[in-house]
């Protein structure tokens, strides 16, 4: 049975839970809830909170790094080596300031665009040849001048409505990737289909 590792990037402390930079972690948590995965448990050895389950005939390991965002690569490297997995079976889920709020894009083997968490993963793995689920957080007025403050702030009420929809869509597209392959997932995500469009499972 194929084994896939889905890692949601974020910062581990409770105070960062609802921040923009924790969107990847939130999506992985929601994925676990919707698909009846067991509660996350801390693995000190793997520097992550872990939950394991089976979906679409695949064994899936969900992980939330216990490292800070800019050291995410240390946890991802430990996860892959400790679980005996290749980066080819890694799905990295993260916020992206270069995409408009609520936009989902699935890519593989592409540059980091300055995302500190992704940069750390690429640095530690010495490759960018893995799949990334990028979720846009850029406001309508464009990139804020103080990015650090912006990404560590919570979404406002209007943004939260959009985020809840994109979380649903990202979970659907993750399941498509597991069930039908990454090419199909890319086609669905990158075609900018409205969130209410029926997606084949």
């Amino acid at each position: 049975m194929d084994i896939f590792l889905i890692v949601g990037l974020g910062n581990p402390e409770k105070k960062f839970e609802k921040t923009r930079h924790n969107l990847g972690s939130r999506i992985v948590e929601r994925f676990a809830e919707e698909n009846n995965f067991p509660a996350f448990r801390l693995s000190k050895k793997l520097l992550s909170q872990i939950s394991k389950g089976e979906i679409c005939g695949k064994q899936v390991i969900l992980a939330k790094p216990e490292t800070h965002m800019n050291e995410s690569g240390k946890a991802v490297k430990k996860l892959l080596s400790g679980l005996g997995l290749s980066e080819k079976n890694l799905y990295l889920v993260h916020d992206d300031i270069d995409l408009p709020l609520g936009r989902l894009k699935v890519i593989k083997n592409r540059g980091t665009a300055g995302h500190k968490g992704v940069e750390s993963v690429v640095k530690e793995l010495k490759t960018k040849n893995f799949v990334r689920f990028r979720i846009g957080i850029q406001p309508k007025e464009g990139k804020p001048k103080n990015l650090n403050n912006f990404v560590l702030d919570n979404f406002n009420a209007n943004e939260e409505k959009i985020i809840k929809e994109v979380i649903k869509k990202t979970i659907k597209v993750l399941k498509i990737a597991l069930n039908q392959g990454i090419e199909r997932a890319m086609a669905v995500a990158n075609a900018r289909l409205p969130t209410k469009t029926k997606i084949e499972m």
Side-chain angles (χ1 to χ4, degrees):
M1 184 185 289
D2 287 334
I3 303 174
F4 286 85
L5 173 65
I6 302 176
V7 180
L9 296 189
N11 287 301
E13 288 96 335
K14 188 83 174 168
K15 64 182 179 180
F16 295 120
E17 206 170 67
K18 294 286 187 179
T19 62
R20 296 180 176 97
H21 229 12
N22 253 47
L23 186 51
S25 183
R26 272 182 73 182
I27 288 168
V28 165
E29 283 178 357
R30 191 76 192 127
F31 185 98
E33 288 169 14
E34 287 194 12
N35 294 288
N36 300 312
F37 275 56
F40 283 86
R41 289 190 175 184
L42 175 63
S43 169
K44 290 183 180 178
K45 180 185 171 185
L46 302 180
L47 304 178
S48 301
Q49 298 273 350
I50 303 286
S51 178
K52 297 180 182 180
E54 194 177 314
I55 191 165
C56 303
K58 311 287 193 307
Q59 190 177 339
V60 177
I61 300 166
L62 305 176
K64 300 184 296 174
E66 282 288 291
T67 52
H68 284 110
M69 179 65 87
N70 60 1
E71 294 189 322
S72 300
K74 291 180 180 178
V76 174
K77 187 178 181 180
K78 288 267 189 188
L79 284 158
L80 290 176
S81 60
L83 298 166
L85 298 177
S86 160
E87 68 275 358
K88 292 174 184 174
N89 283 22
L90 167 65
Y91 294 167
L92 201 66
V93 186
H94 63 89
D95 64 290
D96 200 304
I97 193 64
D98 288 327
L99 293 177
L101 180 71
R103 171 96 164 87
L104 168 64
K105 194 166 186 182
V106 183
I107 62 170
K108 187 177 182 182
N109 201 17
R110 297 275 292 276
T112 67
H115 189 289
K116 299 297 184 192
V118 180
E119 281 181 355
S120 174
V121 174
V122 170
K123 181 184 172 185
E124 292 289 339
L125 299 186
K126 296 182 172 54
T127 182
K128 55 188 180 189
N129 192 22
F130 51 87
V131 176
R132 288 162 48 204
F133 288 71
R134 302 167 57 199
I135 300 97
I137 60 167
Q138 186 185 121
K140 284 181 182 176
E141 54 272 22
K143 274 190 189 182
K145 287 183 179 178
N146 193 327
L147 275 183
N148 283 343
N149 285 353
F150 181 78
V151 297
L152 294 177
D153 241 346
N154 291 358
F155 291 105
N156 64 40
N158 288 332
E159 289 173 331
E160 191 62 40
K161 289 176 187 174
I162 296 168
I163 286 304
K164 282 180 178 171
E165 286 301 310
V166 79
I167 287 174
K168 287 179 192 173
K169 181 175 180 181
T170 306
I171 289 168
K172 285 181 181 177
V173 175
L174 278 164
K175 289 172 79 172
I176 288 169
L178 294 166
N179 193 31
Q180 300 178 38
I182 201 62
E183 298 301 327
R184 173 65 180 151
M186 285 178 175
V188 171
N190 303 347
R192 304 194 187 196
L193 296 172
T195 50
K196 291 184 180 176
T197 300
K198 188 175 179 183
I199 297 173
E200 293 173 18
M201 292 301 297

